[in-house]
Amino acid sequence: MANFNLENGLFYTEDANKYEIPAMNERSDGVLNFDETVAPYLSRSMTGDYEVTAKFVPVNMSLGDSYGIYIYSNEDRVHVSLQETLNGTVITSGAVDFMETENPVVSVKNSDLYLKIKKEGDVYEEFYSPDGEEYISCGKNILTSRSATKAGFKVNTFQGSSFYLKLEEVKIQ
């Protein structure tokens, strides 16, 4: 899977169709940033209708950490993500344009999951699956945009964390 760009991060590794994204970034002066939230975003430009699917394998995930698929059109976005909370592991999804629309939160037992977003026209549908075979819809959101979108994978944590994300079976169609 070529043509990925990394924003807000130091590096990622790629081996065939597998990726690793560490949760690290640096300040503008080149010093590692240990005080702020970091959110590396590995993405590529997209047009037309498409699906983005991947198996997510988090390593050293702790309270407040999250990962997911994020699609941006300028400042607007659609996402499906998993987060560690005080109430356990949950999947959140929704859209942000001139207002924020969140789908109902789903509690899950395992943090190793498949996530998918399917775009058809202005409609985005977010899914999750424990096995990669049967996908469960989290909801649909409408995001109208005249520009191309960026689709990719984001890791959110506090700097200094040992959290990183492994992506397997990445498919962008």
Side-chain angles (χ1 to χ4, degrees):
M1 194 67 52
N3 302 322
F4 276 115
N5 294 310
L6 181 65
E7 301 172 32
N8 302 323
L10 287 180
F11 66 92
Y12 69 97
T13 61
E14 177 181 356
D15 179 21
N17 202 24
K18 297 180 182 180
Y19 301 83
E20 289 188 12
I21 308 170
M24 298 183 349
N25 76 350
E26 61 187 8
R27 299 189 312 232
S28 60
D29 61 4
V31 175
L32 283 177
N33 173 8
F34 290 100
D35 299 321
E36 299 174 11
T37 301
V38 296
Y41 179 54
L42 186 64
S43 67
R44 63 185 276 192
S45 293
M46 304 293 293
T47 58
D49 295 341
Y50 55 85
E51 285 185 19
V52 179
T53 307
K55 178 180 180 185
F56 291 79
V57 182
V59 179
N60 299 324
M61 192 168 181
S62 60
L63 184 64
D65 291 343
S66 67
Y67 65 78
I69 299 173
Y70 286 74
I71 296 175
Y72 287 89
S73 176
N74 297 319
E75 297 299 315
D76 300 338
R77 76 165 189 266
V78 174
H79 76 279
V80 58
S81 58
L82 185 135
Q83 182 175 12
E84 277 301 321
T85 70
L86 290 172
N87 297 321
T89 306
V90 298
I91 294 176
T92 63
S93 63
V96 176
D97 50 14
F98 63 92
M99 59 183 268
E100 186 169 352
T101 307
E102 288 292 323
N103 300 322
V105 171
V106 178
S107 294
V108 293
K109 294 180 180 174
N110 191 349
S111 59
D112 293 13
L113 289 173
Y114 292 80
L115 298 177
K116 174 168 72 172
I117 294 181
K118 182 177 182 179
K119 177 188 180 293
E120 291 181 337
D122 292 338
V123 178
Y124 295 80
E125 187 168 8
E126 302 89 23
F127 301 88
Y128 73 95
S129 172
D131 60 10
E133 297 294 322
E134 293 187 37
Y135 283 84
I136 300 159
S137 177
C138 298
K140 292 182 180 181
N141 299 95
I142 296 174
L143 190 66
T144 56
S145 173
R146 303 285 182 248
S147 62
T149 58
K150 290 190 301 185
F153 312 99
K154 190 178 236 184
V155 179
N156 291 295
T157 190
F158 287 95
Q159 188 56 274
S161 165
S162 58
F163 176 47
Y164 69 95
L165 183 63
K166 292 182 179 182
L167 295 168
E168 300 175 355
E169 302 175 43
V170 173
K171 295 177 192 165
I172 299 180
Q173 310 172 342

